[in-house]
Amino acid sequence: MGNKTVIIGGVAGGATAAARLRRRDEDMEILILERGEYISYANCGLPYYIGDAIKERDALLLQTPQAMKDKFNVDVRVLNEAVRIMPEKKTVKVRELTSGRIYEEAYDTLVLATGSSPIKPPIPGIDGAGIHTLWTVPDTDAIKSLIHEGNPKRAAVIGGGFIGLEMAENLRAQNIQVSLIEMQDQVMAPLDPEMAQLLHENMVMNQVDLILGDGVRSFEETQNGTIIHLSSGRSVTADLIILSIGVKPNSGLAKEAGLRLNEKGGIQVNSELRTSDPDIYAVGDVIEVENFTLKTKTMIPLAGPANKQARICADNIAGDHKAYDGTQGTSAAQVFDLTAACTGVNEKTLRAMGKEKGQDYHSVIINQKSHAGYYPGATPLILKLIFGNQGELFGAQAVGQDGADKRIDVLAAAMRLGASVSDLEKLELAYAPPYSSAKDPVNMLGFVAQNVLDGLVSFIGPAELDALLEKPQQDDFIVLDVTEDMERLVFQIPGSYHIPLGQLRDRLDELDKTKRIIVYCAVGVRSYNAARILMGNGFSDVQVLEGGTAFYKSMHYDQGERKEQEEMSHQEEPKEQELKIIDCCGLQCPGPIMKVNEAIRSMEEGQTLRVSATDLGFARDIDAWCGRTGNTLVKTEKQGKENLVYIRKGAGEGTGQCCAQSSGGELPQGKTMVVFSGDLDKALASFIIANGAAAMGRPVTMFFTFWGLNILRRREKQPVKKSFIEKMFGAMMPRGTGKLKLSKMNMGGMGTKMMKSVMRDKNVDSLETLMKQALDNGVKLVACTMSMDVMGIKEEELIDGVELAGVASYLGDAENSNVNLFI
């Protein structure tokens, strides 16, 4: 190669190529021509400077022309625009923008790093004064100035890509009302629709007016702002409009020079990044790349690939023959408190290519925690993996408050190195409770995907289930709910049949083996276990609802809920003296509902409770709870990673959901259970269910008989007079909760100790605590007098708060109940 390299464009690709080339060749003459005022600036950081997350403007300027000269001996000429390339003469015609002077610059090697520009379609009024794009430092300065000096109250972002989402967040950070308008039916196109829906829900919770499936017809300037007329006929008025419709390659110079372009205007290059002219290279947004997964040609304008291409390009100019072997499209975006990240190909692309799920590829969605659930701050993390019949990795997506980027980085590395599903199972990843779980979510993706390939599980998505439920005849399948009673009180899929997981083996005869069984639980773990039970007992057509009800509810966060959410968000916050505050962050189910119920019971009618929780579905669940208990959901809002919920005691005025308590004409709402077993695990299940029902405001009676009476015994031996047989019974039976054993895997008491240890680690309340909560919540604990007499248990031996009664008393309560359990 010759000894003079001219680089057109000085931002990501151009500056990186120049610096690398200097490190490879100290003697080469290197010249950068940049038509803008700045080089090597942090394009991706511009929205965060507008939102004041980045405080100093200078932090965006990574290099200056003088620094490039001093450190790398590179001649950088800003405000010098290359206007024509003349390959036959190996020269570039340049215009000096400050003076208008035209001159020619010779080269031995030319690098095109001209990047891309925002798309501005020919929409009437698009050049109006209040309409801006965000691509350069001057763009940023103009928008920042308008916000500070013009004090806009309403902004509209046109386009739901990376910059559009980031701008929506940062404008909201400036307390500006934001409408985001996207012509497609989802934001962030690299995600599949169901994963994008998680972002939709969260954006609405952060008070963004989200308008999907609607394009802009025209812009109209008025004295009160710019009116955006949409294709649907709807209109939105804004003081500030940000165009983020997409980008196009700046390939005009290349086209005029006769270089080969693709149909989208991308410069075609070979693996060494040479164009159709061997003395001209090209890198960054302006070039066509190979899709790493599909081996097809595409355009992927990302900063990471641009920098890697620039480095390879410089090495090849220095005499190497290195190859750029494709772009995975690995990316991440912060959308308020959520991170959305992805790598590889999505399912939409495979379907567009005619690929069929289940035959040509598979996908799984799992609902995990960002780190160990028992360590404070664990948040939900939804991951999707797309893979082939031989376990090859096609793509992955992740959405969550914490840990999404980390998992996508691991998956992107695995894909780049040719790993398969089975390799994900084997990955040894760093574990400590604040960072991960012993089985990292990436491992879990591997486990679940391998189960699919091995035929151990089959999944159904929310959309597929909805399509089945919409059928006029629903007798060919059963939707089976394996959650506990308290969970079903909060949410259930309409028409589902309920058998808690712990009862499934004993109630298999209630299900028809000839029908398709679709199992669901909260996140998918219990439903998978249920599916294995069913398949092990002769049920041949079993599917699991992917992601559980937590994911399913997010898929049904519809326009009605959005409007209701928006109305709630504008409710005034109650005065401090009328407000009671509780923190439910990190609590395990049913802890939050129980804590809310306990707080509400101690409050006066009309007072307001503010609850904070990290669970993304908490606002929906508390809405259902309010509807069943006669309280009013006043307002929900986001504050960082927390969901804040305001509940007014009683059915006062407001936009929130409420309903009156059950009247005499309604169906019975009580819950009764016979506690026959004295096993620790069954006792725990009994009190969890009882507390959950009590938290819903339902009267609950627990009738303890035979072995179940041991749960109510005091730990200390009581000085009571007993016959010889009664003493023998008392010596052989466990005295109180501390002596109860597990029904399975007790292992001489070791299993029981392990269970109690795990419960402590995972913040699950002990049996003693659950019993106290039950009494505090008004649960009626009744000891069967007949069983006490048979087993020689005296009243003095029972804990405080227990009533003594016979079967007739219990049956009286049972007649006023709609749920009756035998445990």
Side-chain angles (χ1 to χ4, degrees), residues 480-492 497-504 507 520-522 526-527 549 589-590 673 681-693 696 819 821 823:
L480 178 62
D481 178 354
V482 296
T483 66
E484 299 300 329
D485 283 13
M486 57 180 175
E487 295 172 272
R488 190 168 172 85
L489 287 171
V490 172
F491 176 81
Q492 58 183 275
Y497 191 76
H498 185 220
I499 304 178
L501 177 62
Q503 303 174 26
L504 183 58
R507 296 174 60 183
Y520 76 82
C521 66
R526 285 172 292 173
S527 48
T549 55
C589 180
M673 62 181 75
D681 43 349
K682 295 175 183 176
L684 284 166
S686 301
F687 278 96
I688 288 173
I689 293 169
N691 282 329
M696 301 299 294
V819 172
L821 304 175
I823 300 176

Side-chain angles (χ1 to χ4, degrees), residues 316-346:
N316 290 338
I317 293 171
D320 294 347
H321 293 281
K322 295 182 177 178
Y324 181 74
D325 59 359
T327 302
Q328 291 170 250
T330 306
S331 55
Q334 180 177 297
V335 187
F336 294 96
D337 55 306
L338 287 183
T339 296
C342 59
T343 188
V345 69
N346 58 32

